[in-house]
DNA sequence: GGGTATCTGCAACTCGGTTGCAGATACCCG
DNA sequence: CGGGTATCTGCAACCGAGTTGCAGATACCC
């Protein structure tokens, strides 16, 4: 849902920041630096990020641990982001894309735990036991990412 | 405990216990009551169980927390069981089946977190980024199980 | 039945995530 | 532009899942 936009970009950086801020306000909350920075980061990340990775990426101006958790929770609650537990049982967050679909394909690395979002074709619709409600399909590929496969293990 | 006996299955119960013990010995370890009981439980469970659920199921004669973790780790290490993080980021364990395949289909309930193993058809082979190694494919269905869908949420 | 490597149970610890509360601030409104 | 207030942030303390180290118990080999 992005209504066409508005200010045609000034600096690409500013433009993206503005967009994140707008998405947040649309969701009915204050566009605080914490939220804007986190959402912008998620939107530009190629993989789903863990709490720890996000903290690192924010660098020196890192937020308080708790604030970051709350920002992430809020993003997930409003649907601006998704949350998944990785193979090492830590949560990973990714921005919800506009081309959001209920079927997703991920690659989960058994080495480093990272999650890569693939564009692969959506899997076929399955049949479920009686009474079960389906809300989302996810195809999960497990193995080692290029980096982990390269290094001896 | 577990008075001896009866090799060559008679009572179905005993038989299953004996089988679990044999699997454990085959894997090169001692068939202690702790391991036998846990493996037997996993093998008879319809869904993947959490550490907590296993503790409950063992009832009064429950093992020490740590022992249970170690038994589970050992089962996973030897390949007799599988471990998965559920949507609430706790590990769930299931017995490895003899008809083991590298492609699996699970239903994960967003309500209670339980994981159901379905026999659904294996998904089609995907294409991966350069350098990635695939070891396993898993089709993940998300939604609500019959029980959680039934109760108001 | 005895000896010993392997297991078990206890206690203390780590780590990811959560809760409560006081102080700060984005945003509405005049 | 400045003030008031509901919303956010940061701190500190907490919780629950999982892990580690070690002393005592025990399955299994002989």
């Amino acid at each position: 849902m992005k209504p066409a936009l508005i200010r045609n970009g000034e600096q690409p950086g500013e433009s993206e920041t503005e967009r994140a801020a707008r998405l947040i306000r649309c969701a009915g909350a204050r566009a605080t630096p914490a939220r804007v920075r986190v959402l912008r980061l998620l939107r530009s990340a190629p993989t789903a990020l863990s709490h720890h990775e996000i903290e690192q990426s924010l660098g020196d101006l890192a937020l308080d641990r708790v604030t970051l958790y709350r920002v992430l929770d809020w993003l997930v609650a409003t649907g601006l982001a998704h949350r998944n537990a990785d193979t090492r049982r830590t949560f990973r967050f990714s921005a919800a894309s506009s081309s959001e679909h209920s079927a997703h394909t991920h690659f989960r690395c058994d080495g480093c735990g990272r999650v890569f979002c693939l564009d692969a074709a959506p899997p076929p619709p399955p049949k479920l036991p009686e009474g079960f409600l389906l809300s989302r399909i996810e195809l999960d590929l497990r193995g080692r990412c290029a980096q982990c496969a390269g290094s001896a293990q």
Side-chain angles (χ1 to χ4, degrees), chain A:
Chain A
M1 189 76 347
K2 355 173 128 156
L5 24 28
I6 323 195
R7 348 185 142 271
N8 281 329
E10 5 285 91
Q11 279 106 330
E14 274 311 274
S15 173
E16 255 307 307
T17 298
E18 256 309 306
R19 172 166 299 185
R22 188 163 43 73
L23 284 169
I24 290 166
R25 284 201 198 86
C26 279
R30 294 184 184 170
T32 63
R35 286 179 178 158
V36 173
R37 286 203 296 154
V38 173
L39 180 54
R40 188 160 132 45
L41 177 60
L42 286 182
R43 286 170 57 87
S44 66
T47 71
L49 301 176
S50 66
H51 177 271
H52 194 61
E53 289 167 349
I54 295 173
E55 251 181 333
Q56 305 262 304
S57 300
L58 292 179
D60 315 325
L61 326 91
L63 308 171
D64 179 74
R65 240 165 55 83
V66 179
T67 300
L68 178 51
Y69 276 117
R70 284 197 273 231
V71 165
L72 290 169
D73 285 347
W74 181 84
L75 287 172
V76 170
T78 59
L80 285 171
H82 292 309
R83 176 167 67 184
N84 263 285
D86 71 11
T87 53
R88 290 155 145 190
R89 79 171 210 108
T90 57
F91 285 139
R92 287 186 172 266
F93 301 84
S94 56
S97 75
S98 49
S99 61
E100 195 71 356
H101 42 324
S102 58
H104 235 68
T105 299
H106 289 138
F107 183 92
R108 296 169 185 269
C109 179
D110 290 330
C112 59
R114 280 188 294 174
V115 177
F116 300 82
C117 196
L118 308 181
D119 297 326
K127 63 279 178 78
L128 288 177
E130 194 59 30
F132 280 51
L133 293 179
L134 184 66
S135 65
R136 205 165 153 210
I137 304 180
E138 208 165 283
L139 183 58
D140 244 36
L141 310 180
R142 301 293 185 82
R144 302 206 155 245
C145 70
Q147 196 174 320
C148 289
S151 62
Q153 202 265 1

